[in-house]
Amino acid sequence: MTEQFLHGRLVEELGSRLVAGDPPAGHRFTTAWVESEFAVSRSVAREAIRVLESLGMVRNSRRIGCTVQPSSSWNTLDPHLIRWQLSGPNQAAHLRAFTELRAALEPQAAALAAQRASREQSDRLVRTAALMADLGGRELGDSEDFLAADVEFHATIMAASSNPAFVALVPTLTACLVGRNDEGLTPAQPDTANLHHHIALAEAIKVGDVAAAV
């Protein structure tokens, strides 16, 4: 196995364990412990620790080693963390939090998209909403095609807002949708009203109806 593969696998394993509270906040560990616990080289251990440090999950010090940080210090919007949290022991709470985040952000992004979307973006939204309705009607709401369409629909709205802050959140929202699907939380037969909402939203953005897009 290459070091890059081992590094990626170690980040996933150690990150998932930290999200599950193993080891808990305040616990200290060394690079040598990571080497021994996961049977990896020092370079692989160090690189994985750097990634976790960049996510705010650990603080590394030459004098005391790595200290696990409280979850309040973590970069919760990072796609890695979203994936680990949605597959962790507090899945329901994290899913609720991410749903609330989307509910706060997406109406404003849609309102801006109704004002700023290009014709190509508007047409894409209409096509994608129609595809989602078709797949959902055939009980393929949990399929890869439906997920891809769902991701494209919401990413297009964020991009059409022309707001750099919203655009920067596309990976976060994508991770929420993908993580929910990966955990089997997407129904094969989506709620019909929700599918109709996507179609109505796409049409509102296309005609520039801000009030209907919110």
Side-chain angles (χ1 to χ4, degrees), residues 21-89:
D22 177 28
H27 179 85
R28 294 177 179 176
F29 63 88
T30 63
T31 302
W33 174 81
V34 175
E35 292 177 60
S36 175
E37 179 75 5
F38 299 95
V40 295
S41 67
R42 180 169 294 268
S43 62
V44 168
R46 284 176 173 171
E47 187 58 33
I49 288 171
R50 288 192 190 99
V51 172
L52 297 176
E53 190 172 23
S54 73
L55 297 176
M57 301 182 79
V58 302
R59 185 178 63 213
N60 194 17
S61 169
R62 289 186 177 181
R63 295 179 59 186
I64 61 175
C66 295
T67 304
V68 180
Q69 299 300 290
S71 59
S72 58
S73 298
W74 299 356
N75 182 6
T76 306
L77 299 182
D78 186 274
H80 287 87
L81 265 167
I82 290 173
R83 186 171 67 255
W84 297 333
Q85 289 170 333
L86 288 180
S87 63

Side-chain angles (χ1 to χ4, degrees), residues 67-144:
T67 304
V68 180
Q69 299 300 290
S71 59
S72 58
S73 298
W74 299 356
N75 182 6
T76 306
L77 299 182
D78 186 274
H80 287 87
L81 265 167
I82 290 173
R83 186 171 67 255
W84 297 333
Q85 289 170 333
L86 288 180
S87 63
N90 296 316
Q91 180 189 81
H94 291 302
L95 182 62
R96 181 172 61 251
F98 295 134
T99 299
E100 291 170 350
L101 173 66
R102 292 180 57 198
L105 292 175
E106 292 186 329
Q108 182 59 41
L112 292 174
Q115 302 172 62
R116 303 170 180 174
S118 68
R119 181 173 180 177
E120 189 276 333
Q121 289 171 326
S122 297
D123 289 344
R124 185 188 310 154
L125 286 171
V126 172
R127 289 195 307 270
T128 307
L131 174 59
M132 291 174 66
D134 175 61
L135 291 170
R138 291 188 282 129
E139 298 188 6
L140 295 173
D142 56 352
S143 66
E144 291 185 7

